[in-house]
């Protein structure tokens, strides 16, 4: 019986991707580099640190990764505060409340920074529903490395065999499966060109899930 649900955040709980995209591409202009759509897509699910390490290697950038992170974060924060139409993804708030009211443990495991996670959770009053928040900035390797999900599962009230992960990215699904955890792939209209074939179950809307169904996975 499933006792713990591990959520990704971007593309699953909230669509901050347009804000991240704006911040990244503004920064690319400042750095004088041209990142193609195909290359940008491969960054989905990676931490900001690992994204900039890849960019630094690919474009032979001379700056420090930490400085790049701080600049991108400043661009993101400015855009986040001015974007009035930022909302939780359709159906996810009801699903979170359904899980919580029925005693399901909820853990967040997101590649986003702690600062970004806190901004989202504070804006949408989500802290009360989650027992733990795990940020990708605490791990040297990003998804598809399974470390973030293995750590999240270690915080569960149950063995990882009694956990599921909800993910929307190729890298996230790979990470969940590498961790040996049942994975629900969310085929989000906001996450383009992602391969969810490795997921145990694929959904297109959160009304396809509820506590009673998930508990029996």
């Amino acid at each position: 019986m499933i006792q713990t649900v591990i959520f990704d955040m971007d593309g699953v709980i909230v669509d901050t991707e347009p804000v991240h995209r704006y911040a990244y591409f503004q920064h690319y202009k400042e750095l004088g580099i041209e990142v193609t759509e195909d290359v940008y897509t491969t960054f989905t699910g990676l931490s900001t640190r690992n994204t900039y390490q890849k960019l630094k290697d690919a474009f032979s950038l001379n700056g420090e990764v930490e400085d790049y992170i701080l600049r991108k974060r400043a661009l993101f924060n400015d855009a986040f505060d001015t974007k009035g139409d930022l909302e939780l993804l359709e159906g996810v708030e009801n699903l979170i409340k359904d899980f919580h009211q029925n005693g399901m443990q909820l853990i967040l495991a997101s590649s986003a920074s702690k600062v970004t996670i806190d901004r989202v959770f504070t804006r949408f009053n989500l802290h009360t529903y989650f027992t733990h928040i795990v940020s990708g900035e605490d791990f040297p390797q990003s998804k598809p490395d399974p470390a973030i999900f293995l750590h999240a599962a270690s915080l569960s009230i149950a063995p990882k065999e009694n956990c599921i992960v909800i993910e929307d990215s190729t890298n996230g699904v790979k990470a969940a499966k590498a961790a040996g955890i049942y994975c629900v792939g969310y085929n989000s209209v906001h996450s383009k060109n992602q391969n969810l074939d490795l997921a145990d179950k694929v959904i297109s809307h959160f009304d396809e899930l509820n506590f009673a169904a998930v508990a029996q996975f």
Side-chain angles (χ1 to χ4, degrees), residues 44-59:
T44 303
L46 298 186
S47 68
T48 308
R49 177 170 286 100
N50 281 300
T51 296
Y52 275 109
Q53 188 59 62
K54 286 180 178 291
L55 288 168
K56 184 174 180 177
D57 295 341
F59 292 94

Side-chain angles (χ1 to χ4, degrees), residues 5-6 21 24 27-28 34 39 43 75 83 91 95 98 116 125 127 141 155 169 181 189-190 205 209 214:
V5 178
I6 301 170
R21 178 188 174 83
Y24 272 122
H27 198 202
Y28 299 158
E34 186 173 343
V39 171
F43 299 152
L75 290 166
K83 187 172 174 57
L95 182 62
D98 179 43
T116 298
N125 300 311
H127 284 288
Q141 300 296 320
L155 301 172
S169 72
I181 303 173
V189 297
H190 302 289
H205 194 283
L209 297 178
V214 168

Side-chain angles (χ1 to χ4, degrees), residues 82-163:
T82 57
K83 187 172 174 57
D85 60 346
L86 187 66
E87 299 291 346
L88 296 178
L89 296 189
E90 186 176 356
V92 75
E93 184 174 13
N94 287 338
L95 182 62
I96 288 171
K97 289 179 177 178
D98 179 43
F99 285 154
H100 185 260
Q101 288 167 0
N102 284 282
M104 189 79 80
Q105 181 188 27
L106 304 182
I107 296 175
L108 188 84
S110 169
S111 296
S113 69
K114 294 173 185 174
V115 171
T116 298
I117 292 170
D118 187 63
R119 292 174 81 87
V120 170
F121 268 51
T122 298
R123 178 163 176 168
F124 296 106
N125 300 311
L126 296 176
H127 284 288
T128 187
Y129 302 111
F130 289 77
T131 62
H132 299 85
I133 291 174
V134 183
S135 165
E137 71 179 12
D138 289 332
F139 301 87
Q141 300 296 320
S142 291
K143 304 168 187 177
D145 187 277
I148 188 170
F149 287 134
L150 289 170
H151 181 67
S154 76
L155 301 172
S156 170
I157 58 175
K160 68 179 183 180
E161 290 77 18
N162 299 107
C163 302

